[in-house]
Amino acid sequence: MSRSSLFYMDVKSRAPRAQYDHALAWSALLLLALGLVMVYSASIAIAEAGRATGHQPLYYLFRHSIFLALGLTAAAVIYQVPLRVWQEGAPYLFLLGALLLLLVLIPGVGREVNGSQRWLSLYIINLQPSELMKFFVVLYAADYTVRKAAYLDSLNRKFLPLFLVMVMVGGLLLREPDFGAFAVITVIAMGILFLGGMTWRLYAGLIVLLIASFLTLIWASPYRMQRVVGFMDPWADPFGKGYQLSHALIAFGRGAWFGVGLGGSVEKLFYLPEAHTDFLLAVIAEELGFVGVTLVLALFCVIIVRAFSIGRGAAALDRHFPALVAYGIGIWIGVQTIINIGVNMGLLPTKGLTLPLLSFGGSGIVANCCGLAVLMRIDSENRQTGGGRAP
């Protein structure tokens, strides 16, 4: 072998490895970019026709671009923060989130839209505390599980305190009401507890208790019961309880394999409510078809798989708090994605949950970007601790 070849191999072996996860970063950026295009496509008609938007077709595109800029800026800042700082601040961030949820319910402070009081007006934009709370719950549940690691088999000392805290948060969310956020936050906390070492006996009992609680909440609320009935057979009342779902299914049917083309959706023309937020996937299905939906699912799968892989890498290095945070972010993105897709396809009752990284909504976009920035920071610290080896 020539001397030049040996020199090249030596330089290549000493070259610094990438300090971030390429698959995770590019999957997130592609979803954000696709979301920007599809939000614009889905919102042109309602923006042009709306008096509140000034009849400007670019209204939602402009606002969504601002949200993306804020989210990416926040992500760039958060990526610089070590995980030990997040662990120290987790209880205080959780208290901040609970305070914001309480402020939302104060008359004259919280802003009501479509019968739900979920927003705080910041004059220029509206803040939805429940979106930030998902991020705070990931950090708090991970910190709590690490602190209580010595009491894995104790109902009173490990599970009950967190359960009472989550009941308080759940009560605030249900007062808004925001049943979807309550479901996501509950699954996040439960998932982190389980991965943190909760025994099967306690976990199985908790699952039974949660299922009974969710069924009771649905049974006790007439509007939730109507959503369940409409979900069971949307065609029985296509102009009433089944209106949203029936038009979402029509959008999926029209899209077929390759879609009707970007901008060609008919359902977004005042037929499908919330086309640019909760039902954005239906517009993607109509315009980009099965291929477009498959691409979206594949990108989300990459993010979720990488989150759990990064978590396993942190656990292998005995970095327990970062490992649980990575798992929690994967659960958060995964569960919310599954619920939104299930709602759009008629597999789950209609809930007011956006599609992460894609749907219009400033608080959701910023919270998602913050979560992914923390995930990339965990990966970076794993590489530094493990001598540059990526999981």
Side-chain angles (χ1 to χ4, degrees):
M1 186 178 292
S2 66
R3 184 177 299 177
S4 60
S5 298
L6 290 171
F7 176 76
Y8 173 76
M9 291 176 62
D10 182 59
V11 170
K12 185 177 180 180
S13 65
R14 288 182 295 169
R17 300 190 180 191
Q19 294 301 304
Y20 69 95
D21 192 307
H22 285 271
L24 175 63
W26 280 109
S27 295
L29 288 173
L30 285 172
L31 285 172
L32 289 171
L34 179 62
L36 181 65
V37 173
M38 294 311 302
V39 164
Y40 176 47
S41 176
S43 65
I44 294 175
I46 58 172
E48 194 170 12
R51 184 174 300 176
T53 62
H55 306 286
Q56 296 295 323
L58 300 180
Y59 177 82
Y60 290 104
L61 174 65
F62 178 70
R63 289 179 66 84
H64 196 68
S65 299
I66 293 176
F67 297 151
L68 284 180
L70 289 174
L72 292 173
T73 301
V77 172
I78 284 175
Y79 180 75
Q80 308 302 321
V81 180
L83 264 294
R84 57 176 176 77
V85 175
W86 290 113
Q87 186 171 7
E88 293 168 359
Y92 305 104
L93 290 174
F94 185 81
L95 289 175
L96 172 62
L99 177 61
L100 292 176
L101 290 178
L102 187 61
L103 288 175
V104 164
L105 300 176
I106 298 176
V109 178
R111 185 168 182 264
E112 184 176 335
V113 178
N114 295 330
S116 297
Q117 195 163 322
R118 303 177 183 175
W119 294 267
L120 292 172
S121 177
L122 302 181
Y123 298 103
I124 299 176
I125 60 174
N126 294 320
L127 174 67
Q128 188 173 357
S130 60
E131 293 292 340
L132 297 179
M133 195 61 174
K134 296 169 188 173
F135 177 50
F136 297 158
V137 163
V138 169
L139 299 174
Y140 177 74
D143 173 60
Y144 179 89
T145 303
V146 170
R147 286 190 285 109
K148 300 290 184 177
Y151 310 109
L152 295 180
D153 298 324
S154 174
L155 177 65
N156 294 331
R157 302 189 69 175
K158 179 168 184 178
F159 163 68
L160 194 57
L162 181 61
F163 177 75
L164 294 176
V165 169
M166 296 309 298
V167 166
M168 177 198 70
V169 171
L172 295 174
L173 289 169
L174 292 175
R175 288 282 297 171
E176 296 183 5
D178 195 347
F179 187 77
F182 172 56
V184 172
I185 285 173
T186 300
V187 174
I188 291 171
M190 287 293 301
I192 290 176
L193 272 177
F194 176 70
L195 293 170
M198 176 179 275
T199 60
W200 274 101
R201 180 170 50 84
L202 289 178
Y203 196 76
L206 183 57
I207 291 294
V208 172
L209 178 62
L210 285 174
I211 292 174
S213 300
F214 279 121
L215 291 177
T216 302
L217 288 171
I218 293 171
W219 182 266
S221 175
Y223 90 93
R224 292 192 187 106
M225 279 298 297
Q226 289 180 358
R227 286 188 171 185
V228 172
V229 172
F231 149 74
M232 296 298 291
D233 187 5
W235 307 109
D237 187 12
F239 298 104
K241 295 185 289 291
Y243 184 80
Q244 271 186 311
L245 179 53
S246 61
H247 281 281
L249 294 176
I250 290 171
F252 272 88
R254 291 192 75 247
W257 287 98
F258 300 103
V260 298
L262 186 62
S265 170
V266 172
E267 288 300 320
K268 69 184 181 184
L269 303 177
F270 311 105
Y271 294 104
L272 180 61
E274 309 299 337
H276 59 301
T277 54
D278 301 351
F279 283 86
L280 184 66
L281 186 70
V283 178
I284 294 174
E286 187 177 4
E287 295 190 350
L288 304 182
F290 177 81
V291 173
V293 174
T294 301
L295 173 63
V296 170
L297 292 177
L299 292 173
F300 275 119
C301 284
V302 170
I303 291 176
I304 296 164
V305 168
R306 292 309 304 153
F308 278 85
S309 179
I310 290 169
R312 285 196 304 272
L317 296 169
D318 293 326
R319 305 180 64 238
H320 302 296
F321 173 75
L324 291 175
V325 170
Y327 293 147
I329 293 170
I331 293 170
W332 167 22
I333 299 297
V335 168
Q336 186 162 333
T337 300
I338 290 170
I339 293 176
N340 181 273
I341 292 173
V343 166
N344 275 254
M345 298 180 67
L347 302 175
L348 293 171
T350 303
K351 295 307 311 161
L353 278 176
T354 56
L355 189 59
L357 301 171
L358 285 165
S359 295
F360 178 81
S363 301
I365 289 291
V366 172
N368 294 156
C369 289
C370 290
L372 291 176
V374 171
L375 184 59
M376 293 193 67
R377 175 72 191 197
I378 295 170
D379 175 65
S380 176
E381 292 186 7
N382 285 350
R383 294 168 189 263
Q384 295 172 14
T385 306
R389 290 178 286 108

